[in-house]
Amino acid sequence: MLELKNYIDGQWVSGNSSIENINPSDTSDIIGTSVQGSAADIDAAVAAAKAAFISWRESGPQARHDLLDAVGTMILARKEAIGYLLSREEGKTLAEGIGETARAGQLFKFFAGEALRCTGERVDSVRPNVDVDIVREPLGVVGLITPWNFPIAIPAWKIAPALAYGNCVVFKPACSTPGVAGELVKIFEECGVPAGVLNMVMGGGEEVGGALVSHRDVAAISFTGSVGVGARISRECGILQKKVQLEMGGKNPMIIMDDADLEKAIPACINGAYFSTGQRCTASSRFIVHRGIHDQFVDKIRESIAALTVGNALEKTTDIGPVIDAKQLASNLDYVQLAKDEGAEVHGGERLELATPGYYQAPAIFLNSSNAMRINREEIFGPCASVIKCDDFDEAITLANDTDFGLSSGICTSSLKYAREFKRRADAGVLMVNLPTAGLDYHVPFGGRKGSSYGPKEQGKYAVEFYTMVKTAYSAA
Ligand code: UN1
């Protein structure tokens, strides 16, 4: 059994209490225990990061490149074992767990390169014989708070740029997926990360997350998680004048035009809505379907849903693993009931009892729904999607944009005209044409609009905006 401790100033540190890490595919399988930290642990971690920052900021791009590159290489070498642990503790399928782990490795390798490409500008002053240097500097100590649904990729896409640009990190992983967070930190240790540069404190959002956000020596917070917590973090960071980056929910539309090639559209819709058990903020949750193709689409997607195997995440035949925990499952089941109460035609969505005791739910589709229904306004975060019928392209775009969120948005069409119009008019941070709304590349920016996100983008070279600050230095000889 894994007994995971906090990692502070290069030491594994015990705590007063610990919680069990339970396999959602088989709740009799206790994977390990993880120490729950306290505000005092956050103080110690922040102090260690602050002390380490003095030399880390001067370490130079070569050292930072080499560390991140070595971490990326080691993650890739261990992707099978880490991916297995990920699937065991999170419940996404083994293929998804290994795929996500590989993506984390690639993220570190990408940002190893970016460490070498963090350049400034020299500009002539408008005054004679004066030079202006515009440089980027690290922020100092950054606090990174990550969710359970991408327990290695999201930590990777925050930790890698934070360290590449010379910051030190206090990392608070999600309570339900500590195992892979621990594996990641162990890899850093094996690769020789200097003490204090990367610290991990596990624990609840209230005590540990709250202490991190409000700590005066933490310069910035990057958070991925729920809308409610994000709003609180944003308020607190505003008061303390901290830099903040939030990535929260989605209610992502997928438009299916009457000229869509259903051979391609259906797999994209199935992937977008149901893979990873729908537990992606980029998941497709509203299928906006042109009336000319509606009945055919509904028949085909129902056929494809029926062919999906819900099962233990660690079994090769499984397409859809369990929901993360009892609370999430109860919330999903409430939404299935709500869909019925609101007058949608519900297929699937019931709890399933399988060979191992787990949080299994059949994928659900809500037909004949309207965009005004709560099931189409609120993020469900489960294997559930709605169908909304529309008359034409203009109505489809209007419905797609009629949401408080703006993370990803998709269209299936064979028309260049529709695709082009969609790319101009869709009000979201990530657009997908003939592709699932979820499933990102690791080297390009990611982030949404409206209620989905706040602050600079994550990933790609755009990550530099959040993890550095600009200094303008004038000089005369
Ligand atoms: C993806 O769709 O590949 O929490 C990643 C989430 C997002 C990541 C999506 N932050 O679902």
Side-chain angles (χ1 to χ4, degrees):
M1 218 167 67
L2 294 164
E3 286 183 1
L4 190 60
K5 295 178 179 171
N6 289 325
Y7 188 70
I8 300 171
D9 204 13
Q11 305 292 326
W12 294 95
V13 180
S14 301
N16 294 333
S17 64
S18 62
I19 57 169
E20 285 181 335
N21 184 5
I22 297 165
N23 176 351
S25 297
D26 178 356
T27 53
S28 67
D29 174 27
I30 311 298
I31 302 161
T33 59
S34 54
V35 155
Q36 296 296 281
S38 62
D41 292 314
I42 287 290
D43 284 343
V46 173
K50 190 181 174 187
F53 180 61
I54 296 166
S55 46
W56 184 246
R57 70 173 301 166
E58 301 300 337
S59 60
Q62 187 69 55
R64 301 202 280 260
H65 165 277
D66 291 350
L67 175 66
L68 297 176
D69 189 57
V71 167
T73 301
M74 205 175 276
I75 293 172
L76 288 168
R78 295 183 189 170
K79 68 177 183 182
E80 309 280 334
I82 298 175
Y84 183 91
L85 176 60
L86 198 167
S87 299
R88 191 173 162 209
E89 69 178 354
E90 199 272 350
K92 64 179 64 174
T93 64
L94 206 46
E96 289 171 331
I98 294 168
E100 186 191 326
T101 306
R103 177 166 157 186
Q106 287 157 334
L107 276 154
F108 279 105
K109 288 185 153 298
F110 175 82
F111 282 107
E114 288 302 282
L116 297 165
R117 279 188 286 268
C118 187
T119 54
E121 284 182 89
R122 205 199 66 78
V123 176
D124 287 338
S125 168
V126 292
R127 283 169 275 171
N129 301 319
V130 173
D131 296 334
V132 185
D133 290 313
I134 303 166
V135 294
R136 288 189 176 274
E137 293 190 338
L139 305 173
V141 180
V142 298
L144 308 179
I145 304 176
T146 59
W148 49 262
N149 67 328
F150 283 88
I152 192 160
I154 294 178
W157 80 54
K158 294 185 194 296
I159 293 171
L163 298 184
Y165 301 126
N167 302 282
C168 290
V169 168
V170 178
F171 163 44
K172 190 199 99 59
C175 294
S176 40
T177 50
V180 288
E183 292 305 306
L184 179 58
V185 174
K186 280 182 214 156
I187 285 177
F188 265 96
E189 190 182 35
E190 279 181 60
C191 292
V193 67
V197 168
L198 172 65
N199 305 273
M200 176 176 77
V201 182
M202 298 174 289
E206 288 291 333
E207 183 172 7
V208 171
L212 184 58
V213 171
S214 62
H215 201 294
R216 65 187 174 84
D217 288 334
V218 173
I221 296 287
S222 178
F223 166 82
T224 301
S226 71
V227 173
V229 176
R232 273 160 53 199
I233 291 178
S234 152
R235 273 196 298 276
E236 180 81 9
C237 289
I239 292 165
L240 299 171
Q241 298 185 333
K242 270 181 209 208
K243 209 166 176 183
V244 63
Q245 177 181 57
L246 306 172
E247 213 274 280
M248 302 169 288
K251 196 66 199 169
N252 310 299
M254 174 61 115
I255 297 171
I256 295 95
M257 287 303 295
D258 54 350
D259 63 1
D261 175 355
L262 288 183
E263 294 298 312
K264 292 184 185 138
I266 296 288
C269 291
I270 291 283
N271 174 326
Y274 302 111
F275 285 7
S276 300
T277 323
Q279 299 178 140
R280 294 185 284 191
C281 56
T282 46
S284 311
S285 60
R286 295 180 295 139
F287 296 130
I288 298 169
V289 188
H290 191 284
R291 91 169 37 250
I293 205 169
H294 176 271
D295 294 356
Q296 223 185 325
F297 173 83
V298 166
D299 288 348
K300 288 209 155 112
I301 197 149
R302 286 189 58 196
E303 241 171 67
S304 296
I305 292 171
L308 293 171
T309 304
V310 179
N312 190 312
L314 300 174
E315 273 164 27
K316 288 238 156 37
T317 49
T318 294
D319 297 309
I320 298 181
V323 170
I324 184 76
D325 59 22
K327 190 168 160 233
Q328 183 67 50
L329 178 59
S331 164
N332 296 352
L333 296 173
D334 284 349
Y335 275 110
V336 173
Q337 184 57 45
L338 178 65
K340 292 177 187 160
D341 296 345
E342 289 189 300
E345 182 188 323
V346 174
H347 297 273
E350 67 279 7
R351 183 171 190 172
L352 301 174
E353 301 291 339
L354 303 181
T356 48
Y359 306 115
Y360 299 105
Q361 182 181 14
I365 189 137
F366 310 144
L367 304 179
N368 300 320
S369 75
S370 86
N371 202 46
M373 291 176 178
R374 271 181 59 206
I375 51 163
N376 286 325
R377 315 288 324 168
E378 298 167 18
E379 184 177 52
I380 299 175
F381 221 64
C384 308
S386 305
V387 173
I388 303 166
K389 204 188 277 184
C390 70
D391 286 330
D392 55 33
F393 177 76
D394 274 324
E395 189 192 3
I397 287 279
T398 303
L399 288 167
N401 290 341
D402 177 12
T403 167
D404 293 338
F405 296 102
L407 191 55
S408 64
S409 185
I411 189 169
C412 293
T413 180
S414 53
S415 151
L416 191 56
K417 180 168 172 281
Y418 289 146
R420 182 170 182 274
E421 274 288 287
F422 170 79
K423 286 194 273 183
R424 291 159 66 92
R425 289 168 58 187
D427 195 9
V430 179
L431 305 186
M432 298 284 189
V433 178
N434 295 322
L435 290 166
T437 55
L440 310 168
D441 283 2
Y442 62 85
H443 66 309
V444 289
F446 171 60
R449 299 177 175 184
K450 300 196 276 183
S452 290
S453 307
Y454 183 74
K457 300 278 183 212
E458 304 199 74
Q459 299 196 66
K461 66 181 181 186
Y462 291 73
V464 78
E465 297 292 339
F466 181 70
Y467 289 103
T468 62
M469 53 189 168
V470 168
K471 179 182 269 175
T472 311
Y474 294 82
S475 56

